[in-house]
Amino acid sequence: MEILVLPVFILIFILFLIHSKIKFLELRDGSKKLKATVVEYSKERGSMRNDYTLLNYPYLRILLDDAYYVKQKLRYANNWNKPFEIGQEIDVFWLGSDLLYWDAYDTGFYNYLPSKWSFWT
């Protein structure tokens, strides 16, 4: 019985990751892609309660309507490194009041996960 626990847990975890990727792509499809430039990083607390780990959050500059700049925090934290270079231009989109990285699920391990539940079509 103990032999089945780890594979079942891994399967459930992978299914959760696939579900997260599919939901993210559905939200992204209804949004407008914007160009933004990374201007700085700030170490801030994570979003989980009672967690005092400082995470690197990039701050971006976005040109809106060719008239003015907006400096906004990107909801894409990474504790180990800074995934973007200062001055790098990246694609982002708005989801409510949050700014999200367009290619968040198109890099690393997430790139190998399917983007829809129907695997054979």
Side-chain angles (χ1 to χ4, degrees):
M1 187 66 179
E2 293 84 24
I3 296 173
L4 293 176
V5 171
L6 184 60
V8 168
F9 176 75
I10 291 172
L11 178 64
I12 290 172
F13 182 69
I14 290 173
L15 289 174
F16 171 75
L17 291 177
I18 292 171
H19 174 74
S20 298
K21 180 178 180 177
I22 291 169
K23 287 297 181 188
F24 179 85
L25 294 177
E26 287 174 359
L27 292 171
R28 184 181 81 175
D29 286 343
S31 301
K32 180 182 175 187
K33 185 189 283 190
L34 303 169
K35 293 284 186 190
T37 305
V38 179
V39 291
E40 69 179 351
Y41 278 91
S42 177
K43 285 201 170 270
E44 299 177 11
R45 285 187 51 205
S47 60
M48 296 174 54
R49 292 185 344 195
N50 298 330
D51 182 14
Y52 297 100
T53 304
L54 294 177
L55 303 174
N56 289 314
Y57 281 98
Y59 277 81
L60 307 176
R61 183 177 57 218
I62 306 167
L63 178 63
L64 295 176
D65 300 330
D66 296 329
Y68 59 92
Y69 289 98
V70 173
K71 184 176 173 185
Q72 179 71 28
K73 175 180 169 180
L74 180 67
R75 297 284 177 193
Y76 186 79
N78 190 331
N79 197 23
W80 299 283
N81 62 7
K82 297 177 181 176
F84 311 112
E85 298 291 327
I86 302 295
Q88 180 180 353
E89 192 172 275
I90 62 173
D91 295 324
V92 295
F93 68 98
W94 288 105
L95 181 64
S97 62
D98 292 334
L99 190 64
L100 301 176
Y101 179 46
W102 186 270
D103 296 322
Y105 281 91
D106 296 335
T107 59
F109 172 74
Y110 293 112
N111 194 30
Y112 299 106
L113 294 174
S115 58
K116 55 187 175 188
W117 285 116
S118 56
F119 304 118
W120 294 279
T121 59

